[in-house]
Amino acid sequence: MDFINPNIQAYAESFSTPESEVLADLNRETNLKVLYPRMLSGHLQGRILSMISRMIRPNCILEIGTYTGYSALCMAEGLTEDGKVITIDIDPERKNMVLEYAQKAGIADKIEMLIGNALEVIPQLNKTLDLIFLDADKHNYSNYFDLVLPKLRKGGFIVADNVLWSGRVLNEDTEDKETIGLRNFVQHVSNHEGVEQVLMPIRDGIMLIQKL
């Protein structure tokens, strides 16, 4: 399901800062060689992530769900001089691809990729986080939120992807655990007194959350 007319999407992209050559190559290779390329953040969302990062100027970014590394490279554009993106993925298969493109982008020293179950990895992180990008298994979004919020600095941001789930979240009678997980997540965040949030119908839905 497309939330934005493809022509409007193309128009928006045409007036947004272009992808870098490295990001364009990664976009192309992901679409040619990797399963489920729709999971890639892509040009427009990538520029949004880059802009958010550059506004915040984070020193430490945590990404939950790496895929091929496109979003990590975008967010790294706003890092402080000694900043780092820590990205977690349960699948080791694409680690070489992620690190190869980090090298091509000249930021290999700024990307740390951890392989494992994020529910087990996050508690081991002894870091104060400035920005978090949540883009992993949807039924665990609420669990991830509860784990990372104490590590997020006051005023820091969480960006949660796919919160509209191609419109499936509107189906209140669904039995799909991913859809149920997303519906529970946005309700959980909305009920939390320690944050403010806005759900934006960008691409597949982005929820921007700030810790108070």
Side-chain angles (χ1 to χ4, degrees), residues 24-202:
D25 288 346
L26 177 54
N27 194 336
R28 189 178 305 109
E29 184 171 349
T30 300
N31 277 274
L32 287 173
K33 299 180 180 178
V34 183
L35 288 173
Y36 312 118
R38 189 175 186 270
M39 292 171 61
L40 187 86
S41 287
H43 177 197
L44 188 61
Q45 183 169 305
R47 291 304 85 210
I48 291 169
L49 292 173
S50 171
M51 188 74 74
I52 290 172
S53 182
R54 287 186 289 117
M55 287 190 290
I56 297 171
R57 294 292 292 161
N59 181 258
C60 189
I61 299 171
L62 175 64
E63 177 180 57
I64 306 171
T66 311
Y67 193 49
T68 58
Y70 189 99
S71 49
L73 296 187
C74 291
M75 291 186 293
E77 294 173 13
L79 284 169
T80 58
E81 186 174 346
D82 60 343
K84 180 169 285 189
V85 178
I86 301 169
T87 182
I88 306 170
D89 204 281
I90 200 165
D91 185 358
E93 183 177 342
R94 291 182 290 269
K95 184 172 183 177
N96 288 341
M97 182 178 181
V98 172
L99 298 181
E100 175 190 348
Y101 274 91
Q103 184 73 40
K104 288 181 178 180
I107 56 168
D109 60 329
K110 293 185 175 295
I111 304 292
E112 180 181 355
M113 187 172 181
L114 305 177
I115 301 298
N117 184 329
L119 295 174
E120 299 172 358
V121 175
I122 293 168
Q124 300 175 34
L125 295 177
N126 186 24
K127 301 283 186 181
T128 298
L129 305 172
D130 303 297
L131 175 62
I132 299 161
F133 184 47
L134 180 51
D135 191 19
D137 47 321
K138 314 309 170 189
H139 64 278
N140 271 317
Y141 266 29
S142 293
N143 294 326
Y144 294 137
F145 175 81
D146 290 340
L147 284 174
V148 299
L149 191 63
K151 298 178 183 294
L152 182 65
R153 68 166 173 83
K154 182 179 178 180
F157 287 87
I158 299 171
V159 182
D161 198 13
N162 304 117
V163 292
L164 293 179
W165 208 225
S166 296
R168 293 191 290 274
V169 291
L170 298 179
N171 181 5
E172 296 182 4
D173 299 322
T174 183
E175 296 182 1
D176 174 62
K177 69 175 184 177
E178 301 296 282
T179 305
I180 292 170
L182 287 167
R183 286 177 57 86
N184 290 341
F185 167 71
V186 296
Q187 189 65 59
H188 183 58
V189 172
S190 297
N191 291 339
H192 199 292
E193 296 182 355
V195 299
E196 289 189 355
Q197 71 286 332
V198 58
L199 199 164
M200 301 177 289
I202 298 171

